[in-house]
Amino acid sequence: MSVVESPATRPAGGPTPHRAPGRTSRSRRRRQSAATPWLLSIPTLLLLAGLLGYPLVRMVVLSFQNMRLRELLSGRTPPWVGLDNYTKVLGDSVFWTVVGRTVLFTIICVFVSVLIGLGIALLMRRVARGVRLFMIVAMMFVWALPQLVAAQIFRWITDSDFGVLNYVLDKLPGVNYQNHSWFVNPWQGWAVITTLVIWAGIPFLAITLNAGLTQVPKELIEAATVDGATPWQVLRNITLPILKPLITIVTTLSVIWDFGLFTQNWALRDGHPEPQFQTLATYSYTQAFGQSRYSLGSAISVITVLLMLGVMAFYIRQMFKIGEVD
């Protein structure tokens, strides 16, 4: 009869049992699996560091110098001026006017585009499948248009001499829009720019939110309808809470895109936007390359990046929250 040695009766100086080979191999595989994404990301991170990191560092350094046209042509190192450029920018009332205009434009564009995009997405869930497919294809064509091409289309539509918009409005009784310039009045000019940005941004919002609506359980909607809930109550209490993470993401992305407005107003004003049509992006470019004040333009760009960091941090935080929920 054999006696099994228990852990309590095993001698203190006895040999330690070896770890199972299978457990060791599993631990090694887990470590390798955890390291694989980082190894695969190294080429992309190096490329981003080269394409974005180096220019960003150069821009920050340039904002503390006084680079003018003579230093650019001669190749000499610009003199170091410290925070002088930032003092000039932050003490300039024109700069704060441009900031306020950019913020107001962003708020209006994001609010209207997200609202219309959500409405179109809800409509797409109620139409026939063929109609929905046609709407998606049509919006994809709009989304695929380069910003410069879209701006040129709107420039032709609102042209004072040959514009289609003036031609149609002029046909209305009691309306005289012959040779009307839409950019003489800043409010009308910004209405054109805002319409262009909203028109170009709706396809992304509508298609993305339509995809999110497919994840809303039909059982919940049917149960709420049976209980007597109105369509508005279903939307407010079921659909919107489920779509809230997605709406937050697309809204944040829209803020980032609209805050950096450059191509649309630059193209519509033929590369020379008037002061009342300047945004932070065009104002920085005009100061740097239009007036050869490169360091001042760099300082404006750095401030713009800092303003956007708050929005980007909020976006990243929301992404992590959604990842934790999933």
Side-chain angles (χ1 to χ4, degrees):
M1 181 175 178
S2 59
V3 179
V4 179
E5 184 181 17
S6 64
T9 59
R10 184 180 298 120
T16 303
H18 295 285
R19 183 178 297 178
R23 185 180 303 174
T24 304
S25 60
R26 285 196 298 270
S27 301
R28 186 182 299 111
R29 283 197 298 269
R30 281 197 296 267
R31 288 195 298 268
Q32 291 175 352
S33 299
T36 299
W38 292 101
L39 293 176
L40 295 176
S41 302
I42 287 177
T44 303
L45 295 176
L46 292 177
L47 183 62
L48 290 176
L51 295 178
L52 299 178
Y54 176 75
L56 183 61
V57 172
R58 287 292 302 148
M59 182 181 70
V60 173
V61 173
L62 190 61
S63 67
F64 293 101
Q65 298 173 334
N66 186 22
M67 169 72 80
R68 300 302 297 266
L69 188 60
R70 57 176 177 266
E71 284 83 14
L72 181 66
L73 296 178
S74 63
R76 292 182 298 179
T77 302
W80 191 267
V81 295
L83 297 175
D84 287 355
N85 291 318
Y86 292 96
T87 304
K88 292 178 183 178
V89 171
L90 297 177
D92 187 6
S93 60
V94 176
F95 169 77
W96 290 110
T97 301
V98 174
V99 171
R101 184 185 302 125
T102 306
V103 172
L104 180 61
F105 163 81
T106 302
I107 293 174
I108 294 174
C109 280
V110 171
F111 177 77
V112 176
S113 59
V114 171
L115 190 63
I116 296 177
L118 179 60
I120 294 177
L122 292 171
L123 177 63
M124 291 171 65
R125 303 312 306 167
R126 292 182 173 272
V127 299
R129 182 178 180 183
V131 178
R132 182 163 61 247
L133 181 60
F134 173 77
M135 293 174 66
I136 292 176
V137 172
M139 287 189 293
M140 288 296 292
F141 274 110
V142 175
W143 194 13
L145 278 179
Q147 292 182 354
L148 185 59
V149 176
Q152 291 296 338
I153 292 174
F154 267 69
R155 183 180 176 186
W156 171 72
I157 292 175
T158 59
D159 185 79
S160 58
D161 297 323
F162 310 103
V164 177
L165 184 58
N166 285 349
Y167 176 80
V168 173
L169 292 177
D170 194 56
K171 296 299 181 181
L172 298 176
V175 178
N176 182 14
Y177 266 74
Q178 187 176 5
N179 302 118
H180 175 74
S181 177
W182 287 85
F183 290 92
V184 172
N185 187 327
W187 290 101
Q188 293 183 1
W190 274 111
V192 174
I193 298 173
T194 303
T195 303
L196 169 58
V197 174
I198 293 174
W199 174 77
I202 284 177
F204 166 77
L205 296 168
I207 294 174
T208 304
L209 293 175
N210 173 64
L213 286 172
T214 61
Q215 305 303 313
V216 178
K218 294 182 180 179
E219 296 80 7
L220 289 179
I221 298 178
E222 292 174 355
T225 304
V226 170
D227 291 339
T230 63
W232 168 248
Q233 290 174 332
V234 172
L235 176 65
R236 184 183 61 183
N237 298 320
I238 298 177
T239 305
L240 291 182
I242 295 176
L243 282 182
K244 182 180 178 181
L246 185 60
I247 293 175
T248 302
I249 291 175
V250 297
T251 301
T252 309
L253 289 176
S254 298
V255 170
I256 294 174
W257 293 335
D258 295 345
F259 194 83
L261 174 74
F262 181 90
T263 305
Q264 289 86 342
N265 58 334
W266 188 266
L268 285 172
R269 300 314 301 140
D270 198 22
H272 299 88
E274 294 83 355
Q276 61 268 26
F277 296 112
Q278 292 276 7
T279 59
L280 274 174
T282 58
Y283 184 65
S284 172
Y285 185 90
T286 302
Q287 292 294 316
F289 299 100
Q291 302 183 18
S292 300
R293 304 167 72 180
Y294 304 105
S295 295
L296 199 65
S298 298
I300 297 172
S301 299
V302 172
I303 295 174
T304 304
V305 171
L306 293 177
L307 291 175
M308 290 305 302
L309 282 179
V311 182
M312 294 172 63
F314 178 78
Y315 172 74
I316 295 173
R317 184 169 175 266
Q318 293 301 314
M319 293 295 294
F320 276 114
K321 277 188 176 181
I322 294 173
E324 292 174 358
V325 172
D326 294 340

